């Protein structure tokens, strides 16, 4: 991202406009006591420089933050994360009591409650250390979803928003527009729609237990799974052991080839057949040349022997 790591809101109108974009960003305000908070501001700047490519960091006049419903003008220098229609303050004492730094807080709070998961941001989501809860869906060619998939996405979003006090510390919620990423994690083809919970530390994943007549995870089954994952009592699958990494590589290669074959079988045949053909020619010329040379040597030996016999 071009420009300085920390930008400044010249006026509160800029602050309000950015809030309407519904993007998460961090803001530092001096508060009433302008002579304090130098250490906090220095830490804020250093963290902004590290996350500059993926997040936005600002400074703003103290009165701007008071425009947010339920927030008074801070009396001391403070840091807020603005997302999900509000702003939330960094409580230094509460974070220190749980052995968490400002960096840890920024890393965990830099995403909204519900986000579209893509190949581009999945790695960043995994770096938060939280469990990533994903609604596995499949968009059509114009980016639309069926009514059934839209309803399932809305259910998961409602769970994320309405149970923020319970799950926010442990989970990040989102949805996938294409299932290939989720299938690669689970190393199998998941039904559409479905739910996948990924442990960002161990790469293990969890699936809800469905009833016999249940094709789509219900809100109750989702809540039960989240509670079990939170209490470390859910059955885990997969992981990052050598065997699973090897099998995941194999599965990814297999699905990629199958996708290429379905999309363009002629081109796939050329791409695979040309290297195999060249390899066969190389093997043939390498192995058969030795056999031919050996055969020529035998013929020459037999000819010399015949000449000696005729002379005798």
């Amino acid at each position: 991202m071009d420009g300085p790591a920390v930008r400044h809101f010249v006026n509160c109108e800029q602050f309000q406009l950015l809030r309407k974009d519904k993007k998460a960003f961090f803001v530092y305000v001096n508060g009433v006591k302008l002579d304090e908070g130098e250490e906090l501001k220095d830490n804020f700047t250093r963290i902004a420089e590290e996350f500059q490519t993926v997040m936005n960091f600002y400074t703003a006049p103290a009165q701007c933050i008071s425009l947010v419903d339920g927030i008074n003008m801070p009396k001391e220098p403070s840091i807020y994360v603005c997302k999900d229609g509000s702003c939330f303050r960094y409580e230094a004492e509460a974070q220190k009591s749980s052995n968490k730094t400002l960096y840890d807080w920024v890393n965990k709070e830099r995403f909204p409650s519900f986000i579209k998961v893509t190949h581009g941001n999945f790695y960043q989501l995994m770096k938060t250390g939280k469990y990533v809860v994903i609604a596995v869906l499949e968009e059509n060619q114009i980016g639309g979803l069926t009514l059934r998939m839209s309803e399932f996405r809305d259910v998961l979003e409602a769970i994320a928003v309405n149970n923020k006090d319970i799950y926010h510390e442990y989970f990040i919620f989102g949805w996938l527009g294409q299932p290939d990423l989720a299938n690669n994690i689970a190393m199998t083809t998941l039904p559409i729609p479905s739910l996948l919970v990924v442990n960002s530390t161990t790469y293990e994943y969890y699936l809800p237990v469905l009833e016999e007549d249940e094709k789509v995870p219900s809100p109750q089954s989702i809540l039960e799974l989240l509670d079990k994952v939170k209490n470390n009592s859910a059955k885990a699958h997969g992981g990052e052991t050598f065997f699973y990494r090897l099998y995941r590589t194999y599965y990814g290669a297999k699905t990629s080839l199958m996708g290429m074959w379905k999309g363009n079988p002629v081109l796939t045949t050329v791409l695979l057949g040309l290297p195999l053909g060249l390899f066969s020619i190389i093997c043939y010329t390498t192995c058969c040349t030795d056999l031919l040379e050996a055969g020529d040597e035998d013929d020459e030996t037999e000819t010399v022997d015949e000449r000696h016999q005729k002379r005798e």
Side-chain angles (χ1 to χ4, degrees):
M1 188 178 295
D2 296 332
V6 180
R7 305 185 184 190
H8 180 67
F9 288 119
V10 178
N11 52 60
C12 294
E13 291 182 2
Q14 295 178 343
F15 172 75
Q16 291 290 70
L17 286 173
L18 189 60
R19 285 188 60 219
K20 290 180 180 179
D21 287 342
K22 297 183 179 180
K23 294 181 179 179
F25 64 92
F26 293 88
V27 59
Y28 173 90
V29 295
N30 281 320
V32 177
K33 303 176 182 179
L34 299 178
D35 57 339
E36 297 182 3
E38 288 301 321
E39 182 180 356
L40 183 64
K41 188 173 183 180
D42 289 342
N43 290 336
F44 181 77
T45 303
R46 283 196 296 269
I47 293 171
E49 290 172 351
E50 183 167 345
F51 287 100
Q52 182 179 5
T53 57
V54 292
M55 283 301 302
N56 294 317
F57 295 81
Y58 299 90
T59 60
Q63 61 268 25
C64 293
I65 205 72
S66 63
L67 298 176
V68 182
D69 294 338
I71 298 180
N72 298 323
M73 184 181 298
K75 296 181 179 180
E76 57 187 15
S78 305
I79 296 173
Y80 293 84
V81 57
C82 295
K83 60 180 182 178
D84 302 328
S86 186
C87 294
F88 308 92
R89 184 179 176 180
Y90 167 67
E91 302 291 347
E93 295 301 325
Q95 295 296 320
K96 288 180 180 178
S97 63
S98 56
N99 296 321
K100 293 181 180 178
T101 63
L102 176 61
Y103 179 93
D104 297 328
W105 181 78
V106 169
N107 186 40
K108 285 196 170 186
E109 295 293 336
R110 57 196 176 106
F111 292 103
S113 297
F114 196 72
I115 186 173
K116 183 176 182 180
V117 181
T118 64
H119 286 276
N121 65 15
F122 179 71
Y123 176 71
Q124 294 296 326
L125 290 169
M126 296 290 281
K127 287 178 67 176
T128 62
K130 293 184 178 182
Y131 292 96
V132 184
V133 185
I134 305 172
V136 184
L137 311 174
E138 187 171 15
E139 295 175 316
N140 57 27
Q141 294 181 349
I142 59 173
L145 296 171
T146 64
L147 179 61
R148 185 184 184 187
M149 287 189 280
S150 296
E151 290 176 347
F152 183 70
R153 181 188 61 183
D154 294 342
V155 166
L156 188 62
E157 183 176 8
I159 290 174
V161 174
N162 298 333
N163 298 275
K164 200 169 185 177
D165 295 339
I166 303 173
Y167 297 131
H168 175 71
E169 183 67 20
Y170 306 93
F171 301 100
I172 294 179
F173 295 83
W175 64 282
L176 270 171
Q178 296 297 327
D180 55 336
L181 179 59
N183 292 340
N184 188 260
I185 295 171
M187 295 168 289
T188 187
T189 301
L190 296 171
I192 304 294
S194 62
L195 185 78
L196 183 73
V197 181
V198 185
N199 186 326
S200 60
T201 304
T202 65
Y203 221 69
E204 293 176 326
Y205 66 92
Y206 307 86
L207 299 172
V209 178
L210 305 182
E211 301 294 337
E212 293 183 359
D213 57 341
E214 194 176 27
K215 295 182 179 180
V216 179
S218 65
Q220 185 61 32
S221 63
I222 295 174
L223 292 172
E224 288 179 359
L225 176 64
L226 296 179
D227 290 335
K228 287 182 179 179
V229 172
K230 179 183 173 183
N231 299 327
N232 296 319
S233 59
K235 182 180 178 181
H237 309 273
E240 269 289 89
T241 62
F242 174 76
F243 170 77
Y244 283 115
R245 289 200 301 267
L246 186 64
Y247 185 77
R248 189 173 286 113
T249 302
Y250 159 74
Y251 179 82
K254 183 185 73 172
T255 51
S256 297
L257 288 175
M258 290 178 61
M260 290 172 59
W261 178 260
K262 290 180 180 179
N264 195 329
V266 176
L267 179 60
T268 305
T269 303
V270 173
L271 291 176
L272 295 178
L274 186 59
L276 289 176
L278 292 175
F279 181 73
S280 300
I281 293 172
I282 293 172
C283 291
Y284 176 79
T285 54
T286 302
C287 299
C288 294
T289 301
D290 294 338
L291 294 175
L292 292 173
E293 289 178 353
D296 292 339
E297 291 177 357
D298 292 339
D299 292 340
E300 290 177 359
T301 303
E302 290 178 359
T303 303
V304 171
D305 292 339
E306 290 176 356
R307 290 176 180 175
H308 284 302
Q309 289 176 1
K310 289 180 179 179
R311 290 177 181 177
E312 292 176 357

